[in-house]
Amino acid sequence: MAETLVLIELDRQRVKRPSLHAITLAQQLGGDYALLILGSGVAEAANSIISYGAAAVLVADDPALAEPLADRYASVIAQATRQQGAKRLLASSSTFSKDVLPRAAALLDAPMVTDVLALAKVDGAIAYQRPMNAGSKLATVKVDGELCVLTARATAFAMPSANGAPCLIATFAFDAASLPNEMQFVSRELRASDRPDLAEARVVVSGGRPLKDSETFERLVGGLADALGGAVGATRAAVDAGMAPNDYQVGQTGKVVAPELYIALGISGAIQHLAGIKDSRIIVAINKDADAPIFQMATYGLVGDLHQIVPQLIAAIQKT
Amino acid sequence: MKILVPFKSVPDPYAGAGAAAKSVINPFDEIAIEEALRIRERGEATEIVGVTIGAPAVDEQIRSALAMGVDRAIRIDDSRALDPYAISRILRTLVEREAPQVVLMGKQAVDDDSNQVGQMLAGLLGWPQATFVSKIEFLDNKTRAQCSRETDGGIEVIAISLPAIITTDLRLNEPRYVSLPGLMKARKKPIEVINCEQLGVNVHPLTTTLSVASPPRRTAGTRLESVEELVTRLKQEAKVL
Ligand SMILES: Cc1cc2nc3c(=O)[nH]c(=O)nc-3n(C[C@H](O)[C@H](O)[C@H](O)COP(=O)(O)OP(=O)(O)OC[C@H]3O[C@@H](n4cnc5c(N)ncnc54)[C@H](O)[C@@H]3O)c2cc1C
Ligand SMILES: Nc1ncnc2c1ncn2[C@@H]1O[C@H](COP(=O)(O)O)[C@@H](O)[C@H]1O
């Protein structure tokens, strides 16, 4: 039994670090919490998260869960939530949790709040702050009912500390044969990259429309990212034009990042892009238009042609 | 095959800050409508029904949907501030009435940015779902669909049985513009208006927005003159190099 159940996300049998940030929201909410992981052959992953102060790590381990198919996953997650008698089900925001948790919420007859940024107290009751309209508004939301489902913006909650006493790992038993079977996994694009994950990188370099093609994009944006040991991001315009893969998109409808250093190359600063970067500590903008909106929020701005500036910048960094 | 497209009216996301934004069809729902039209144009769908839940003011977006080529539209007359779960419960009842093979809809309404309704609707109906889709192909005599999904880790392909819920991502297509003949035709197309009572659903929102504020804004920093100056600042002032 736990008051809060935190769904932890795996990527090829390993725990995705941003998904651990939801534990911090569970701690702020108070009461005990259990961690839940689903997959096939996930004992090692379960072992890696026993020290985050949870009451238990619940493991649903079965070949039927080898791929994160929403119908099965939501069914198992809803069953585990009921079995725990949990009042809250949470996870860090990601395409995985956004796919699976609203479905689980419906199975649990519960409302859901997406992208929680912080807790608030209103008239003695807990309320949730969340962004709306591409981050141009900050809403405070209250939830009625016995149970609610939440996703937390990983960038708004710190990484929890891993020095709790080791907790128990409990098998969550379910009937695999009775799971829904109308969705099949076909394939997943495998892209080997030595670069850090966009969501976790200390430095992110992103490129926009003027990068022209994937070769120029890789040479300039990728080159600068590599000089800094950073990850690569892109605007929607760059992704739509085929310069960068879809999962590089940063913004309202892509990924939200908050690195120490964000460098925007040839990016105008549309509100939908800024929604994904505004909590970065330092923002550098390089743009040839002195009036580009991005300069209104950049820590450092450099006006000029990126095709000239970026090679110089790479060389200067390599010298330091 | 019949396709049901739920769509929402939202403030124009391209309107500049400060300007009073006019309402438009949620961009992701416009992509859903476009995809439904293309499916019909290649002979795989026979009817496209649009549905929106809202006050009479959203009739303007209904006209746009009809002008794009949707065959008929239903407005569920409700001016309450409903949450995604309430919306999905209303849509469930409508899906049961209309019995489409595919519900094609946006992944996210760009005003509330919830990204919930499609998945909740799929859960309520017990139907398979393909979310954040950038490609759809029907298989096996339209009993199944193969869908490419945009995920955090790249493109994933899944196959789902129909009936199913499919939610759209940005790269699925580029919606057409409304044509003049389209607008003329739209005038003659039927819009059915019903309310929740007539539909036989009784829902109340469980989430309530208590207040809306402007988030803290970043202010403009320093304009620099050269690459050397940038590197020095990043090193000595920002201490990130
Ligand atoms: C529903 C919806 C969702 C969206 N979601 C997202 C999202 O998640 N992420 C996102 O990024 N966008 C999103 N957008 C798109 C967004 O509105 C903008 O269109 C997009 O961010 C613009 O990308 P950009 O800055 O690369 O291109 P542009 O706006 O075209 O800007 C290019 C910039 O490059 C500069 N430039 C040109 N040449 C050079 C040069 N040689 N050297 C230096 N600078 C140069 C120009 O001055 C200009 O400022 C969304 C839009 C909608 C409607
Ligand atoms: N009022 C509404 N009427 C019809 N469809 C809606 C409404 N609200 C949301 N939807 C649908 O649900 C999708 C996801 O919305 P949301 O979960 O609010 O981000 C939208 O893209 C629409 O297809």
Side-chain angles (χ1 to χ4, degrees):
Chain A
M1 302 298 259
E3 231 170 288
T4 302
L5 192 58
V6 185
L7 175 66
I8 300 296
E9 182 175 350
L10 301 183
D11 179 17
R12 276 156 282 172
Q13 325 293 88
R14 297 191 50 192
V15 169
K16 275 187 106 167
R17 288 175 56 85
S19 80
L20 297 170
H21 293 220
I23 295 172
T24 303
L25 173 57
Q27 290 167 345
Q28 291 178 8
L29 284 161
D32 57 351
Y33 53 92
L35 310 182
L36 172 65
I37 59 176
L38 280 66
S40 177
V42 294
E44 210 174 303
N47 249 315
S48 73
I49 54 170
I50 54 175
S51 304
Y52 287 101
V57 175
L58 276 187
V59 185
D61 198 334
D62 192 281
L65 302 178
E67 295 296 341
L69 295 165
D71 54 356
R72 301 173 179 197
Y73 267 53
S75 166
V76 173
I77 292 164
Q79 290 176 45
T81 307
R82 281 209 198 86
Q83 183 229 38
Q84 291 291 304
K87 289 193 285 192
R88 289 178 291 251
L89 168 62
L90 36 135
S92 289
S93 298
S94 67
T95 53
F96 165 74
S97 61
K98 285 182 175 170
D99 183 42
V100 167
L101 282 194
R103 188 176 179 114
L107 300 181
L108 290 162
D109 196 22
M112 174 163 174
V113 180
T114 302
D115 285 341
V116 173
L117 294 172
L119 298 179
K121 268 265 163 68
V122 177
D123 298 333
I126 284 183
Y128 306 97
Q129 288 195 334
R130 64 175 302 265
M132 290 186 6
N133 291 68
S136 64
K137 291 182 189 161
L138 188 61
T140 303
V141 181
K142 109 180 149 116
V143 181
D144 299 321
E146 306 279 280
L147 173 66
C148 76
V149 180
L150 309 171
T151 57
R153 269 273 169 93
T155 53
F157 295 92
M159 181 73 183
S161 84
N163 45 25
C167 70
L168 232 84
I169 297 180
T171 301
F172 177 68
F174 61 96
D175 179 14
S178 69
L179 290 178
N181 193 26
E182 292 182 306
M183 297 176 59
Q184 280 94 37
F185 173 80
V186 176
S187 63
R188 178 175 298 116
E189 183 181 52
L190 271 189
R191 225 177 308 111
S193 172
D194 298 333
R195 297 195 180 118
D197 194 72
L198 199 45
E200 301 173 58
R202 214 182 64 85
V203 176
V204 174
V205 182
S206 289
R209 199 188 305 269
L211 271 308
K212 284 196 197 82
D213 51 40
S214 56
E215 188 272 324
T216 316
F217 190 95
E218 174 55 30
R219 184 164 48 81
L220 296 178
V221 186
L224 183 55
D226 290 344
L228 293 162
V232 176
T235 64
R236 174 191 176 181
V239 175
D240 284 0
M243 295 173 222
N246 70 285
D247 52 306
Y248 284 28
Q249 184 178 309
V250 172
Q252 178 193 16
T253 54
K255 287 179 179 162
V256 175
V257 300
E260 283 287 295
L261 173 62
Y262 186 86
I263 303 185
L265 303 176
I267 292 176
S268 59
I271 176 177
Q272 291 87 2
H273 187 75
L274 302 185
I277 69 168
K278 59 183 167 200
D279 292 322
S280 308
R281 189 166 76 83
I282 305 285
I283 296 178
V284 173
I286 298 175
N287 194 304
K288 72 172 185 193
D289 175 7
D291 295 325
I294 187 99
F295 286 127
Q296 286 163 26
M297 50 96 74
T299 325
Y300 301 118
L302 202 53
V303 178
D305 184 349
L306 67 88
H307 298 283
Q308 287 163 12
I309 293 176
V310 175
Q312 291 172 20
L313 186 55
I314 294 173
I317 289 164
Q318 281 165 345
K319 256 191 271 159
T320 63
Chain B
M1 183 161 84
K2 175 170 169 180
I3 303 178
L4 184 75
V5 186
F7 60 93
K8 186 182 188 185
S9 266
V10 299
D12 185 352
Y14 289 114
K22 62 177 200 319
S23 292
V24 296
I25 298 173
N26 176 41
F28 288 100
D29 300 341
E30 214 182 359
I31 293 171
I33 293 170
E34 175 64 36
E35 194 64 18
L37 299 177
R38 292 186 190 188
I39 293 166
R40 190 184 59 194
E41 281 158 7
R42 51 177 203 248
E44 292 180 314
T46 45
E47 190 185 21
I48 303 168
V49 182
V51 56
T52 186
I53 302 163
V58 307
D59 280 350
E60 206 182 318
Q61 284 69 58
I62 297 183
R63 287 288 166 211
S64 308
L66 293 172
M68 279 178 80
V70 166
D71 294 307
R72 65 182 166 92
I74 301 162
R75 179 167 63 82
I76 298 167
D77 185 39
D78 205 314
S79 16
R80 292 175 294 168
L82 296 171
D83 60 9
Y85 190 43
I87 296 284
S88 59
R89 281 181 294 163
I90 297 171
L91 289 177
R92 186 243 312 247
T93 310
L94 193 83
V95 169
E96 284 165 350
R97 192 189 86 165
E98 291 287 332
Q101 279 73 53
V102 175
V103 177
L104 195 52
M105 58 200 287
K107 76 166 180 179
Q108 166 175 356
V110 298
D111 53 352
D112 66 53
D113 282 337
S114 289
N115 198 329
Q116 296 178 13
V117 173
Q119 301 86 310
M120 286 178 160
L121 180 58
L124 291 173
L125 291 163
W127 286 9
Q129 70 188 50
T131 52
F132 326 144
V133 164
S134 58
K135 190 176 177 199
I136 306 170
E137 271 174 295
F138 294 102
L139 312 171
D140 302 340
N141 203 16
K142 288 176 288 184
T143 56
R144 297 199 314 140
Q146 178 157 302
C147 301
S148 302
R149 308 180 53 231
E150 296 203 1
T151 75
D152 287 343
I155 303 285
E156 175 186 296
V157 183
I158 61 173
I160 56 177
S161 321
L162 302 188
I165 308 288
I166 300 177
T167 78
T168 60
D169 217 318
L170 293 170
R171 255 81 50 189
L172 182 59
N173 61 47
E174 217 169 300
R176 70 196 60 190
Y177 288 105
V178 167
S179 67
L180 199 58
L183 272 171
M184 304 298 280
K185 268 198 219 155
R187 291 208 200 129
K188 292 191 212 98
K189 290 180 181 172
I191 303 178
E192 179 189 2
V193 180
I194 41 172
N195 60 32
C196 286
E197 204 183 329
Q198 291 161 326
L199 248 190
V201 278
N202 179 14
V203 298
H204 300 283
L206 291 168
T207 62
T208 315
T209 301
L210 300 171
S211 60
V212 178
S214 294
R217 302 194 79 187
R218 288 181 81 105
T219 46
T222 321
R223 292 286 172 101
L224 308 178
E225 295 303 323
S226 68
V227 166
E228 291 67 40
E229 198 186 346
L230 174 59
V231 173
T232 311
R233 295 268 192 157
L234 290 177
K235 234 194 272 177
Q236 288 168 7
E237 194 173 72
K239 300 197 185 337
V240 285
L241 291 190

